[in-house]
Amino acid sequence: QVQLVDSGGGLVQAGGSLRLSCAASGRTFSMHAMGWFRQAPGKEREFVARITWSADNRSYADSVKGRFTISRDNAKNTVYLQMNSLRPEDTAVYYCAAGPFLTPDPYKYDYWGQGTQVTVSS
């Protein structure tokens, strides 16, 4: 019912910035939360940030707080992740996700994008 396409990853030097985009289509009205997760090689998928469609409720992982900003454009059905002051440890595949609950638990999200690679060089 919901399709997500994430994009915007790439190679950037430490201290640089990237903006990721997640375009949603389908029955998005039933998905109250949109989130960003990331997964590095050999590690579990971890929560990065989340936002609601209908209210300005946002949450961030401690590791990115103050550096990353999640936002949305409801008219375009798009969620963004602005990433500033990037560090090598931010290197991972980043995934957008949609689900009915406000939670950092990836198992509670029903739909996922294909992932976009972010690589930060030192």
Side-chain angles (χ1 to χ4, degrees):
Q1 291 185 315
V2 177
Q3 296 81 44
L4 305 176
V5 179
D6 41 25
S7 62
L11 175 64
V12 65
Q13 71 277 12
S17 299
L18 286 172
R19 190 181 76 160
L20 307 183
S21 299
C22 178
S25 61
R27 306 281 295 275
T28 57
F29 66 89
S30 64
M31 301 291 103
H32 296 164
M34 296 289 294
W36 286 96
F37 295 78
R38 66 187 183 187
Q39 188 166 20
K43 296 184 178 180
E44 297 293 315
R45 189 166 298 186
E46 65 175 346
F47 166 77
V48 176
R50 66 173 184 263
I51 192 171
T52 59
W53 283 116
S54 60
D56 194 22
N57 295 322
R58 310 181 191 195
S59 184
Y60 300 91
D62 289 342
S63 60
V64 306
K65 192 173 298 182
R67 300 188 297 121
F68 291 10
T69 302
I70 189 170
S71 61
R72 68 182 190 273
D73 186 335
N74 288 18
K76 296 181 178 180
N77 290 322
T78 301
V79 175
Y80 305 95
L81 185 69
Q82 179 67 45
M83 305 185 295
N84 298 326
S85 301
L86 283 163
R87 305 165 180 169
E89 52 264 41
D90 295 318
T91 296
V93 177
Y94 284 69
Y95 301 87
C96 66
F101 306 111
L102 292 174
T103 175
D105 184 357
Y107 289 98
K108 299 297 179 65
Y109 288 78
D110 299 315
Y111 302 95
W112 294 85
Q114 78 283 359
T116 184
Q117 176 71 47
V118 172
T119 302
V120 184
S121 61
S122 59

